[in-house]
Amino acid sequence: MATDLKADFWKRIDNVQAGLLTASGERPVPMAPQADADDNAIWFITAAGTDPEKAAHGGAEAAFYVADPKADIYANVEGRLEISNDSEKLDEVWNAFAAAWFEDGREDEDVRLIKFTPHKAEVWLTESSAAFLYEVAKANLTDDTPDGGEHGQITF
Amino acid sequence: MATDLKADFWKRIDNVQAGLLTASGERPVPMAPQADADDNAIWFITAAGTDPEKAAHGGAEAAFYVADPKADIYANVEGRLEISNDSEKLDEVWNAFAAAWFEDGREDEDVRLIKFTPHKAEVWLTESSAAFLYEVAKANLTDDTPDGGEHGQITF
């Protein structure tokens, strides 16, 4: 069911370390997502002057590509990118990894918070590796095709 | 150095379970790469009638997106996709995972071999997670920014 797929999407993407973000048709670059189901948003922390930051000024259509075998999710997420000045949200999503990239930490003047609001996504949620290996083995024994997990379109 | 980056790219992509392949601007779909540095190619096994298979007929420009925190590689690989009738190569890249997807195995009439010949790529090779956590910790202690691994353009 589409509702379950959306809930599962938010759960899985929470474990994704990084995906490729492309804004306004520019080159895809690796970005670390901060999933936020409550706000229907994926937050990114970046520095002033990066491609995504420049694209986000004034708003931009963007796509976020996820292909993470560890988090068992493959997705093409389409949405809108914008700069956020929400200081409380930045506190909320701030972490040790971001801290390590900015000389002056959270208060570094180059820190930028970007909000990505997904419109729609195509997602593939695979079984965990161990389960998938079992499915493959079973399929080899029984001539079945393996259970490949969930796949579908999500509208946000 | 560009030469080292290319060699490292082939080493890392060999560990990638799946990425997203988009051909002729169509929707990206998850595909399992079989890296082949000797032939300067990435091979995909797919079924007749899938989007990549249809696009590959007559040749198509394609992009392969990799975002794999387990294999420590993020990449945007651009190249050309074509159908291959190389039966020896199919034997070489055939594996248990492919076997599980085709009812009649290697001889299933729906089996298709696709050859992706990269022209250029932008790649980010990250440190392994443990090393990266050390870099982050060190950066937090010393006010340095962490060592983010290798990044650059490759021409094949």
Side-chain angles (χ1 to χ4, degrees), chain A residues 17-20 27-30 65-69 74-76 96-97 99-101 103 122 124 132-133 136 139-140 143-146 148, chain B residues 17-20 27-30 65-69 74-76 96-97 99-101 122 124 132-133 136 139-140 143-146 148:
Chain A
Q17 195 166 312
L20 296 178
R27 54 193 263 278
V29 294
Y65 304 125
V66 176
D68 190 334
Y74 299 84
N76 170 27
F97 293 97
W101 286 100
E103 279 188 15
E122 183 168 12
W124 295 260
F132 183 68
L133 286 173
V136 168
N140 277 333
D143 281 353
D144 274 351
T145 45
Chain B
Q17 195 167 312
L20 296 178
R27 55 192 262 278
V29 294
Y65 305 123
V66 176
D68 190 333
Y74 299 83
N76 170 28
F97 292 96
W101 286 100
E122 182 168 12
W124 294 259
F132 183 68
L133 285 173
V136 168
N140 277 332
D143 280 353
D144 274 352
T145 45

Side-chain angles (χ1 to χ4, degrees), chain B residues 32-34 36 39 41-45 84 89 93 113-115:
Chain B
Q34 307 276 348
D36 185 349
D39 281 359
I42 296 171
W43 302 91
F44 299 103
I45 297 171
S84 170
K89 184 58 72 176
V93 301
L113 181 64
I114 291 178
K115 183 181 188 179

Side-chain angles (χ1 to χ4, degrees), chain B residues 125-156:
Chain B
L125 306 180
T126 52
E127 302 293 325
S128 68
S129 298
F132 183 68
L133 285 173
Y134 168 77
E135 286 291 335
V136 168
K138 194 182 70 172
N140 277 332
L141 285 173
T142 63
D143 280 353
D144 274 352
T145 45
D147 180 353
E150 292 178 81
H151 168 226
Q153 302 278 350
I154 299 172
T155 305
F156 293 89

Side-chain angles (χ1 to χ4, degrees), chain B:
Chain B
M1 287 179 292
T3 311
D4 290 339
L5 187 62
K6 193 190 286 192
D8 290 345
F9 166 81
W10 284 114
K11 266 185 242 165
R12 296 282 180 101
I13 201 156
D14 203 33
N15 297 322
V16 169
Q17 195 167 312
L20 296 178
L21 181 70
T22 173
S24 307
E26 295 288 329
R27 55 192 262 278
V29 294
M31 296 283 282
Q34 307 276 348
D36 185 349
D38 294 340
D39 281 359
N40 187 46
I42 296 171
W43 302 91
F44 299 103
I45 297 171
T46 191
T50 60
D51 281 0
E53 193 267 344
K54 284 187 280 184
H57 280 286
E61 289 302 307
F64 187 55
Y65 305 123
V66 176
D68 190 333
K70 199 156 63 177
D72 288 308
I73 177 172
Y74 299 83
N76 170 28
V77 190
E78 295 174 40
R80 191 160 179 81
L81 211 61
E82 61 194 330
I83 298 284
S84 170
N85 295 311
D86 187 337
S87 187
E88 282 182 30
K89 184 58 72 176
L90 180 56
D91 286 338
E92 188 186 316
V93 301
W94 188 256
N95 56 52
F97 292 96
W101 286 100
F102 294 99
E103 279 187 15
D104 297 328
R106 164 73 177 80
E107 303 308 321
D108 196 303
E109 64 180 14
D110 285 337
V111 173
R112 293 292 182 279
L113 181 64
I114 291 178
K115 183 181 188 179
F116 178 62
T117 305
H119 305 319
K120 62 175 182 173
E122 182 168 12
V123 304
W124 294 259
L125 306 180
T126 52
E127 302 293 325
S128 68
S129 298
F132 183 68
L133 285 173
Y134 168 77
E135 286 291 335
V136 168
K138 194 182 70 172
N140 277 332
L141 285 173
T142 63
D143 280 353
D144 274 352
T145 45
D147 180 353
E150 292 178 81
H151 168 226
Q153 302 278 350
I154 299 172
T155 305
F156 293 89

